[in-house]
Amino acid sequence: MKTDLTDTTSSKINKALVLGRRAIGTPAVGMVLTLVIVTDEENAYDALKAANEASREHPSRTLVVIKRVSRSPRDRSQARLDAEVRLGADASTGETVVLRLYGEVVDHAQSVVLPLLLPDAPVVVWWPVNAPTDPANDPLGALAQRRVTDTYSAEQPIEELTARADTYTPGDTDLSWTRITPWRSMLAAALDQVVCEVTAAEVEGEEFNPSVELLAMWLTDRLKVPVRRTRSAGPGLTSVRMETDSGPIVLDRPDGSLATLSIQGQPDRAVALKRRETAELIAEELRRLDPDDTYATALRIGIGQLDERAAVTAPEPPVPADLSSEPAPSEPVSSDLAAEPVADSVPGSGQSAAPAAKPAAKKVPAKKAAAK
């Protein structure tokens, strides 16, 4: 069931929700939380689709806040709120309200959302794209117990991850951290199978992927060993290698779906480690609404500290530089050798020009003899 409301108010939207529940025969409210999605028109469909799939596990009232851009000064001075209320099959197992904000009301989205929150229920705010620098101090983020961002969607993911560390507040989390949950579980289980001491580690993944950086920082924090971050063609995380006193432990996933776990002295094992969809990530984040202390400690390690340790424990990068510099002296040598015939062909003084003149003297009489 869908109800479109143009130039409306929050009270009219609440009334439409009550009438809609009565119309479909479910007057009681059986939802466990309110999920607020702050996005733009371009990404609203994908975000709402993921939220609807996650609501099968967590029935919720989903409020989609779309801040429309006003093109003229006159439009920016006029405040307007349009809403689309979805219930029943159109909203999966919960309720969905799509809010489109125009004009001055764009700067006061919290005033529109606050009357629509479920009473006595937790609030989660999710920014699929264009997350604020400090989510906890954002007007909408201040309403929530849990604030979810996604640094992978930012134009500069690594810089965005650094900003998350600087402004972290208990309750903040990021989908880039959620993506590495299976990796963290598998690596912890692998270390439980052997009695060893980890001396170093290496995390390999595609460039500009914040999940790779977070996994490396987590290993640095948990193992207290130097961790080197290397780049690959992807997709996403491709390999983690831990050096131990009893042999290496390697978790390798080259294709993004099936991984191989290798432990010294044990046969290799195939592990299902596929890349998960956004709906699975959101569903995982909604399972726990308390602050994630493990994420906070890993985030505080800092990318700069990770790079510093990598430079100390990775002598390989200088080696290719030295090897590449060896052919450089050989190029002038070859150019000097190639210049000798050129110098012989040019008339001039010196002993090196004499051998070149003799063949020329022999060729001239030969041509004259042929002419006679």
Side-chain angles (χ1 to χ4, degrees):
M1 177 180 178
K2 292 184 180 180
T3 304
D4 292 328
L5 302 174
T6 304
D7 197 6
T8 185
T9 61
S10 297
S11 60
K12 294 180 180 179
I13 296 173
N14 265 323
K15 184 177 180 180
L17 287 170
V18 174
L19 295 177
R21 286 197 300 267
R22 292 177 179 174
I24 62 177
T26 56
V29 179
M31 288 156 287
V32 298
L33 59 89
T34 302
L35 176 61
V36 182
I37 305 175
V38 186
T39 183
D40 53 17
E41 197 73 57
E42 180 181 358
N43 298 279
Y45 175 81
D46 293 333
L48 186 55
K49 180 181 178 182
N52 287 338
E53 294 180 7
S55 68
R56 298 172 183 172
E57 183 177 345
H58 310 279
S60 59
R61 174 178 289 180
T62 303
L63 305 177
V64 184
V65 180
I66 303 175
K67 299 180 180 180
R68 298 297 297 266
V69 178
S70 301
R71 299 182 179 180
S72 63
R74 180 179 179 182
D75 293 338
R76 287 192 291 268
S77 63
Q78 296 178 353
R80 197 183 85 197
L81 172 63
D82 295 344
E84 180 181 342
V85 179
R86 302 180 185 180
L87 297 170
D90 295 321
S92 189
T93 59
E95 301 175 347
T96 300
V97 180
V98 182
L99 304 170
R100 290 181 172 85
L101 283 60
Y102 299 84
E104 295 179 350
V105 74
V106 170
D107 300 326
H108 305 281
Q110 72 278 6
S111 300
V112 178
V113 171
L114 186 59
L116 301 176
L117 301 178
L118 290 173
D120 301 326
V123 179
V124 179
V125 178
W126 172 33
W127 291 270
V129 294
N130 302 325
T133 305
D134 190 354
N137 289 328
D138 183 80
L140 286 173
L143 302 175
Q145 288 79 28
R146 196 82 161 146
R147 295 163 293 275
V148 184
T149 57
D150 191 0
T151 55
Y152 187 74
S153 63
E155 294 183 359
Q156 298 179 338
I158 306 305
E159 288 76 2
E160 191 80 8
L161 189 62
T162 304
R164 293 284 168 266
D166 296 337
T167 61
Y168 174 80
T169 303
D172 293 352
T173 189
D174 196 275
L175 293 185
S176 296
W177 172 256
T178 316
R179 291 184 179 97
I180 63 174
T181 300
W183 285 83
R184 294 187 291 119
S185 301
M186 192 60 59
L187 293 173
L191 289 176
D192 288 340
Q193 300 180 27
V194 292
V195 179
C196 63
E197 181 180 353
V198 182
T199 57
E202 179 181 353
V203 180
E204 182 183 81
E206 63 183 358
E207 191 175 5
F208 305 119
N209 190 320
S211 296
V212 182
E213 314 293 341
L214 283 171
L215 183 59
M217 290 189 286
W218 175 72
L219 289 174
T220 303
D221 176 62
R222 297 288 100 181
L223 300 177
K224 309 300 181 184
V225 298
V227 178
R228 185 159 66 102
R229 195 261 196 250
T230 58
R231 296 182 179 89
S232 68
L237 272 162
T238 54
S239 176
V240 175
R241 181 184 181 92
M242 294 183 291
E243 300 292 344
T244 70
D245 53 3
S246 61
I249 299 176
V250 181
L251 183 60
D252 184 51
R253 188 191 66 176
D255 59 354
S257 59
L258 189 64
T260 302
L261 178 62
S262 303
I263 302 177
Q264 187 74 19
Q266 299 183 15
D268 294 348
R269 280 163 284 184
V271 180
L273 206 62
K274 71 179 184 69
R275 306 187 72 188
R276 298 183 293 171
E277 299 293 335
T278 306
E280 300 177 67
L281 304 177
I282 288 295
E284 178 182 333
E285 285 300 331
L286 296 181
R287 292 188 194 117
R288 53 174 299 173
L289 301 177
D290 56 324
D292 194 342
D293 297 332
T294 307
Y295 168 69
T297 55
L299 195 62
R300 291 192 181 102
I301 290 295
I303 298 174
Q305 183 177 353
L306 178 66
D307 293 340
E308 182 180 353
R309 294 190 179 190
V312 173
T313 59
E316 288 83 356
V319 174
D322 296 338
L323 294 176
S324 61
S325 61
E326 290 178 4
S330 63
E331 293 177 1
V333 175
S334 60
S335 62
D336 294 339
L337 294 176
E340 290 179 2
V342 177
D344 294 341
S345 62
V346 177
S349 60
Q351 296 179 358
S352 61
K358 290 181 180 180
K362 292 179 180 180
K363 290 181 182 179
V364 173
K367 291 180 179 180
K368 289 182 179 180
K372 291 178 179 182

